[in-house]
Amino acid sequence: MKILINLTVALLLSGNFAFAQTPEPAAGKGRISGSILDEKSQPFPFVNVLLLKAKDSTLVKGLAADDDGKFLFDQVATGKYLALVSMVGYQKNYSDVFTVDNNVVALPVFNLKTETQALNEVTVVSKKPFIEQEIDRTVVNVENSIVSAGATALEVLERAPGVTVDQQNEQLKLRGKEGVIVQIDGKQTFLSQQELITLLRNTPSDNIEKIELITNPSAKYDAAGNSGIINIKMKRNKNYGTNGNINLGGAWARFGRGNATATLNHRAGKLSSFISGGAFLNKGFNNNDIYRTIPFEDKVTIFDQRTERINKSQYYNVRAGVDYFATDKTTLGVLVSGFYSEFSNPFGQTNTRILNEDLSLQRTFRTDVYNGGKMNNISTNLNFKHQFNDKGKELTFDVDYVRYGGKKSSNLDTKYYLPGGQQDGSPETVRNNMPSDINIAVAKLDYAQPLWKGKFETGLKSSFVASDNDMVFETKADDWVLDPTRSNRFKYTENVNAAYLNYNGSITKKIKYQLGLRGEHTHSIGNSVTLSQKRDRNYINFFPSVFLSNQLDTNNVLNLSYSRRIDRPNYQSLNPFEFYLDPYTFQRGNPNLKPQYTNSFQLVHVYKSFLNTTIAYSRIKDMIADELPQQIASENKTFVTSDNLDNQDNVSLTVSFPIKVAKWWNIQTNFTGVYNHYNSVYLEEKLEIRQTSWNMYAANQFTISKTWSGEISGWYNSRAFYGLYQAKPMGMLNAGLQKNIWNKKGSIRLNVNDIFWTNRFRGRAVYKDIDFHVKSQWPSRQFRLTFTYNFGNQNVKGARQRNTGSDDLQKRANGGS
């Protein structure tokens, strides 16, 4: 690894000393300098600049502006010239004719504006691609995708490059690694993995503007999250005046579902306000087949299970905010949001055959299952931002309060039958209820100012979290009786105080760097009230980060970064509860979990802002692995839990590039290859897994006419490991068609998701006495129809976007549920 780092740094530094000093022009030669700004008067990097002869406009030289939007033509022969500045999606900009005569010509600043074309008083602006690759993140532009219309946030994430949605175990992974931080508008969701998947599954994509994938965050972010951050940005007020939009959608996939969202914005004078709301009603299904073999004392028992569940859910949300622009430099803001979700499995049934080793039938049992629950949330944010007279000097302050409340319940009724079909004994009837509450309070202060030839940033953050889960497990004889061995009340409190320093600077004109250091003090108490077990943890950690950027030449940029991160045990995973699917299958918490630490290196090469290649390596110590299977062979029981594995090494390669086949046909392609190596001792036996896997996504966008457009997209995941599960390949193909109506104020979208119904989970886990196969399917094949209408003023300047004080917090309830 040291050799790799040294070679990489040498590559970063090479080729730049030639740029450190520019020789004086020779006699009869001159220089031409200039700079380029975008519509917001910010430096516009990597713009094409052409030097033309004034006489006949023939090309003399061409180059690209640097990442500060500046350019320099050197050793230019005397004569008359003009300059042309151009960028796809922007209007061309010509300079006036000027003369070079053994001097330095400083051209006036170029201001590029978005290219527009008037059609019947409607402004058509060039559309962003579905996926954009920026230097430090990948951006998925959800609102520009036809096949994403009427979908859910979870279905959109399935199409995001490098993201894996494990529907079977209800987990998200980024570049083959667990521990993903999920944010909504910069604020984490603070739910368990299962609750988070449920939320994303019920969030309409029509509410989403874009999704950002940040794989190596700086010290400014919380140190949690070993694989990076997924930030889902919701649509916000972008215009002065009054405007809004309405979205209506319906879908069919064996059952129907529908969604409706509306947004109203108003911006005038010093006030900008918005309110939005939505409803989502869904009915679906989930089928699972589990075949497991359990050896015990020279005897083998086989379980052959089929579970069928129908699920129903309803989800309602509202968001409202006000920004007050007290002065040109000072802004005050209030943001309030909340949601209510209710879900149930009105029908759930598991039919199981228990077989001997020769496949003869011992007996069967049927478990009728009802699961249901409610969840509600309220989040408030007060925000202050002040920009000082010194350019770049800024102070922001946030205070947040977030509350989640919920209740889950399940009833299991199991009947046993002999091989002949006669009922065997009395039925077993059990039920459990688990109300839960999570309260979060956060205060955050950030300060930035220019310093020397760079930018200095520092900040403080303090957060306090309290969660309370009360699992009540009862069995039924004549009446319901509390089962104290499976009931448990678990309380968890956590206080994290953090401070960070960050500095951006330049070594030369081409080499830039960023150095950061974050310190976090954590004090957590996990208290199992029922078991009288308390675990008190108190520790301090430091997390450095280093970023280097090298503009090798006009076409090539190279970035190298390193960061250290932590993932603390998730609240629900620490809870020693047991959640049952049937009498022989359940999930168990683990109060002995330790934090995991990750060291990550990332090398990014960008060619002409077109081809993006990323090589990344990370080592995770004390890796927290979810859904690890274990067995109680003497009782024929199988359960899953979370546990620490010693080490995981992860190497990934990501390549992203667009292809313009024709004026009317664009393709966006993303490829990710991953190598994972697990090395540990698990269940008192050496565990070593080496696995190479890959993921590919491609989207074809077609412009059929001025009002018609289409899209065909698809993704494929190769064979891969999820913990101890080796999953078979998965993929899907989607197609959509869009018609713009009413002078493009409205649109109708029709699409088909997963045309061939290939997005299914098939996997197997084999380790020690564990050997079982799993198959799972859900309504991924869907037919969707969506209508959108925009009203009011849609053509003016955008309003302020902001993050909140709890922007890096709310995932920490992640874990078993």
Side-chain angles (χ1 to χ4, degrees), residues 270-481:
K270 293 187 175 184
L271 283 176
S272 174
S273 60
F274 81 97
I275 184 169
S276 65
F280 184 88
L281 304 177
N282 180 46
K283 186 176 181 180
F285 66 90
N286 186 280
N287 298 331
N288 290 281
D289 294 286
I290 302 176
Y291 188 92
R292 63 181 185 259
T293 302
I294 305 175
F296 181 69
E297 294 182 349
D298 300 324
K299 178 183 177 183
V300 175
T301 304
I302 298 172
F303 279 69
D304 185 7
Q305 294 181 285
R306 169 76 174 180
T307 300
E308 297 181 354
R309 286 177 289 181
I310 294 175
N311 50 71
K312 296 174 66 177
S313 62
Q314 47 186 312
Y315 171 84
Y316 309 93
N317 75 293
V318 63
R319 301 174 72 246
V322 177
D323 286 332
Y324 174 65
F325 302 93
T327 69
D328 292 340
K329 303 291 185 179
T330 304
T331 306
L332 300 171
V334 179
L335 180 66
V336 179
S337 64
F339 68 80
Y340 173 82
S341 178
E342 186 173 322
F343 49 92
S344 64
N345 297 117
F347 171 81
Q349 189 175 96
T350 298
N351 288 284
T352 304
R353 297 189 306 149
I354 304 178
L355 309 172
N356 296 308
E357 188 173 8
D358 61 359
L359 300 184
S360 60
L361 184 65
Q362 286 187 23
R363 63 173 180 169
T364 64
F365 68 86
R366 188 186 76 194
T367 301
D368 294 309
V369 182
Y370 168 81
N371 293 318
K374 299 178 181 179
M375 187 190 310
N376 60 76
N377 158 260
I378 182 72
S379 301
T380 57
N381 166 258
L382 300 178
N383 178 276
F384 169 82
K385 179 179 180 180
H386 179 71
Q387 296 172 309
F388 297 89
N389 291 329
D390 297 338
K391 186 177 180 181
K393 192 174 180 180
E394 181 178 282
L395 179 71
T396 60
F397 179 66
D398 289 85
V399 178
D400 287 80
Y401 172 73
V402 183
R403 183 187 182 278
Y404 288 91
K407 182 178 181 180
K408 292 183 178 180
S409 61
S410 66
N411 287 44
L412 288 79
D413 186 9
T414 303
K415 297 181 176 67
Y416 296 90
Y417 300 91
L418 297 173
Q422 308 92 335
Q423 185 167 329
D424 183 16
S426 302
E428 291 182 12
T429 304
V430 299
R431 71 182 183 187
N432 64 67
N433 292 282
M434 189 175 73
S436 61
D437 290 290
I438 302 173
N439 290 276
I440 310 162
V442 184
K444 183 168 78 83
L445 179 70
D446 294 288
Y447 175 75
Q449 76 163 52
L451 184 64
W452 300 311
K453 293 184 179 181
K455 182 180 181 182
F456 172 74
E457 296 176 293
T458 186
L460 301 171
K461 183 175 180 180
S462 182
S463 63
F464 181 80
V465 181
S467 69
D468 188 350
N469 296 275
D470 190 8
M471 169 69 80
V472 178
F473 201 101
E474 298 174 301
T475 60
K476 188 174 183 180
D478 295 328
D479 294 312
W480 289 105
V481 178

Side-chain angles (χ1 to χ4, degrees), residues 534-604:
K534 182 181 292 188
R535 281 176 171 78
D536 191 326
R537 290 190 171 104
N538 199 330
Y539 52 93
I540 297 176
N541 292 116
F542 293 95
F543 304 96
S545 62
V546 180
F547 295 80
L548 287 173
S549 177
N550 186 350
Q551 180 78 42
L552 297 175
D553 53 37
T554 56
N555 295 325
N556 296 277
V557 179
L558 200 61
N559 297 320
L560 174 67
S561 61
Y562 161 77
S563 67
R564 182 174 186 257
R565 305 186 68 77
I566 184 176
D567 279 283
R568 301 173 182 89
N570 304 309
Y571 309 139
Q572 303 257 35
S573 296
L574 292 167
N575 186 356
F577 68 93
E578 292 183 355
F579 184 82
Y580 281 76
L581 177 65
D582 62 56
Y584 294 92
T585 314
F586 60 95
Q587 185 175 15
R588 173 183 290 174
N590 180 4
N592 297 312
L593 283 174
K594 299 179 293 185
Q596 69 177 22
Y597 295 90
T598 304
N599 288 283
S600 297
F601 300 85
Q602 183 169 282
L603 179 66
V604 181

